[in-house]
Amino acid sequence: MVSFNLVFHVASALACVLLIYALLRLQSLVRFHGQLWQSLDSARPLIQLDWPALFLSKFGKALAIPVEGPTEKGQPCRIEMGTWTAAHLELHFTRIHWSSPQELVIEARNHDRTGSWSQQLEEALGGAVRVHIKAPLR
């Protein structure tokens, strides 16, 4: 009876720790998602100091966009979040893929409207990464 009681308490303690961890991760994701929408306010541009790979992985998780490829951190840079959010709203990113640590390929549904978005996204990453926008693979 004592061993059953001990196993039950250990299992419930582990479940509580995992639940708290999951809630903290969810809270950070929701906060980041809110920051993305606030970044669209042109009166107060939101700039984040982060590594491009880490920012894009959070960006992808918040907006349900798969981010693939190497996740080498590289150098941290100033990232303009509003430019990335506005580009996603206009182009509808379907996938983000790192072809190399300095080169990023974005597949977008509205790839015909790219215009100068590639250059703007590169500038939003502080020029640390080259960005290419193309049609999604089918």
Side-chain angles (χ1 to χ4, degrees):
M1 188 66 170
V2 172
S3 64
F4 176 74
N5 200 7
L6 180 65
V7 168
F8 175 76
H9 281 87
V10 169
S12 64
L14 286 174
C16 287
V17 168
L18 289 175
L19 180 64
I20 290 170
Y21 176 76
L23 288 174
L24 288 174
R25 296 279 302 209
L26 179 64
Q27 178 190 21
S28 70
L29 187 62
V30 168
R31 189 178 77 236
F32 184 76
H33 193 268
Q35 287 176 339
L36 287 176
W37 294 118
Q38 287 176 352
S39 70
L40 291 173
D41 183 12
S42 61
R44 196 186 90 190
L46 191 58
I47 296 176
Q48 181 177 10
L49 180 64
D50 206 347
W51 292 274
L54 186 60
F55 168 77
L56 288 172
S57 75
K58 290 189 289 189
F59 182 80
K61 284 180 188 173
L63 298 174
I65 303 167
V67 178
E68 302 167 353
T71 57
E72 296 176 19
K73 285 189 175 179
Q75 294 294 320
C77 60
R78 295 169 55 102
I79 298 171
E80 298 173 22
M81 296 172 69
T83 306
W84 279 90
T85 307
H88 171 62
L89 290 176
E90 184 171 331
L91 301 176
H92 301 285
F93 299 162
T94 56
R95 180 175 160 234
I96 298 173
H97 175 72
W98 288 95
S99 58
S100 74
Q102 290 84 24
E103 199 161 344
L104 188 65
V105 177
I106 299 174
E107 293 179 9
R109 236 180 263 140
N110 298 334
H111 64 281
D112 53 337
R113 293 192 218 164
T114 57
S116 65
W117 278 116
S118 290
Q119 181 181 1
Q120 290 178 31
L121 293 174
E122 286 175 14
E123 291 170 1
L125 287 175
V129 176
R130 295 215 14 105
V131 178
H132 304 285
I133 301 173
K134 66 176 194 171
L137 298 176
R138 295 182 187 211

